[in-house]
Each structure stands twice: as C-alpha cells, then as structure tokens.
Amino acid sequence: AQGHIVRLLGSCVGDSYRLRFVTLEAGAMNQTAALDDSITMIEASMSTMVSDMNGSLDTIWMLIAAMLVFFMHAGFSLLEAGCVRMKNAQNILTKNLMVVTVGFLCWYVVGFPVALGPGLTPNKFAGSRGSLLDGFWDDKSMFRVWFFQGAFCATGATIVSGAMAERAQLGGFTIYTILMTIAIYPIVVYWGWSGEGIFSYPENGSQKSLVGPALMDFAGSGLVHLVGGVGALCGASFVGPRDGRWTDEDAGEFEGHSVPFCVLGTFFLWFGWY
C-alpha cells in the first residue's frame, strides 16, 4: 500500500511539473507570436514611412527642377529684350509672358493628355487621358509631373520668340503658341517620353522604337530643343530677315539696346540650365 501511495505521489508531482512546463511553453509561444506581430507592424510602418519619404523627396526634387526651368523664362525675357531695339522690347516681353500664360492653359486642357496620357488601349501616336487634371487626385504624384512637364512645354515654345524677334505680330505668335502647346510639342513628347510612342514602346518585355533601340533622352534636352529648334528654324525661314538688316547703311540700327539685359539673361539661363 505504501508503494502504491509513493507511486501515486510521484505521478502527481510529475504531472505538476509537466503542466508547468506546458504552461510555460504556451506562454513563450504566445510571447513569440506577439513579438512577431509587433515586428510585422513595425516593418509595415517603416515601409510606409520610407515610401512617404521617397515620395516627398521626389516631389521636392521635381518642384525644384521645375522652378529652375520656369526661372529660365526670366532669362529668355531679359536676353531677348536686350537684343532687340528699344521700341520692340515691350512686344518681345509680352510674347514671353504670353507663352507662359497661354501655353500653360493649353497644356492644362489639351497638351498634357496628348503628351503623357496614354489611353486605355494606347497607340503609338498620341495620348488622350488627363485633361483638366482628370484622375490626378487618385495619383497625386501626377501634379508634380504636370507642372514639371508644363514648364518644359512653355520653354520649347518660347525658344521661337527670339528667333522671330521684331518680325512677328502678336496675333500670329499667339496662334503659333497655341499650336505648339496643344499639338506639336505634346505629340513629340508622347513619341519619346510616354513609354508608348514610336520612339519608345514596350515589346516582349523591353522598350523598343521603330528603328530598334528605344530613345534615351538625357534630362529632356533632346525633345525640348528638337521641337523648339526646328520651330525656330521654320519661323525664321518663313518671316525672313528684318527689312534692311543686311544693308550697310542700316546695319547699325539693329543693335541690341541693352547689353546688361543680355548678360543678366545669359546668367539666368545658365543657372537654370545647370
């Protein structure tokens, strides 16, 4: 009987120890699970913070770059005003101001969707989505893209004003500005920068163009100056030289009226360029 009692007590003691061990093991597992959940939450929070920080940095950088490009319009204005005769300074300044105001309105309504708004079934010629900032609140990063690309659009248009200085009426230049910012420049931008145009479109998992490799345009200088330069060449060819510009007796009458404006404008453009 005593042996049975001893064995019974031993069994009870062993069960007690096993119960305590199981309890401790369950507690440790619960703590581990809670720790894993905390780590997962911290990682998710850190990932969100990093994503928000990267988005903020991208926005700051693009706004700074856009403001530098926008500031170049001051350089264009000073340079062109200094290179023309005093009687035409007001006219050339009005054209530069009109390029920014009218140009951005055209970009807002038509230019941006044509340039960077591929449709639901994209084609290789022009886009169609994003007029009047449609859909921008669903992806707020599009606001910074709109402003940055709009500054480039206006820059491409204002290049021509200097090439046709003192030879184009305000009405004709307004028509040119509208055409440049709603059709000519946006279509070329779609070809090269939208990712769906003829200069760069997806095929078999990589970007291709009609001639083989996709276009790689460093800092946008290629398309902007291609469109602005060709437009300036065509405009200068259409209007021709100023009357008497290349005659010996009248050549001195066409000298710029302000060298300081020319120098300041050059520095402003230099600053914006770099």
Side-chain angles (χ1 to χ4, degrees), residues 30 42 77 84 143 158 177 179 181 195 200 213-214:
N30 290 335
I42 292 173
S77 299
V84 301
F143 285 104
T158 200
T177 300
L179 291 176
T181 52
S200 180

Side-chain angles (χ1 to χ4, degrees), residues 76-93:
F76 281 116
S77 299
L78 283 173
L79 179 61
E80 294 173 15
C83 288
V84 301
R85 290 168 290 181
M86 183 177 293
K87 67 177 183 178
N88 293 316
Q90 184 175 349
N91 178 271
I92 200 71
L93 290 173

Side-chain angles (χ1 to χ4, degrees), residues 40-113:
T40 302
M41 292 177 60
I42 292 173
E43 289 178 344
S45 178
M46 290 293 293
S47 177
T48 302
M49 291 174 61
V50 170
S51 177
D52 291 343
M53 183 183 68
N54 288 337
S56 300
L57 291 175
D58 288 344
T59 299
I60 292 171
W61 168 245
M62 289 192 69
L63 288 178
I64 291 174
M67 285 186 285
L68 286 174
V69 175
F70 196 91
F71 182 70
M72 292 175 70
H73 288 280
F76 281 116
S77 299
L78 283 173
L79 179 61
E80 294 173 15
C83 288
V84 301
R85 290 168 290 181
M86 183 177 293
K87 67 177 183 178
N88 293 316
Q90 184 175 349
N91 178 271
I92 200 71
L93 290 173
T94 303
K95 290 176 180 176
N96 277 272
L97 183 61
M98 186 182 62
V99 163
V100 177
T101 54
V102 175
F104 259 96
L105 286 174
C106 293
W107 179 253
Y108 172 67
V109 179
V110 180
F112 181 85

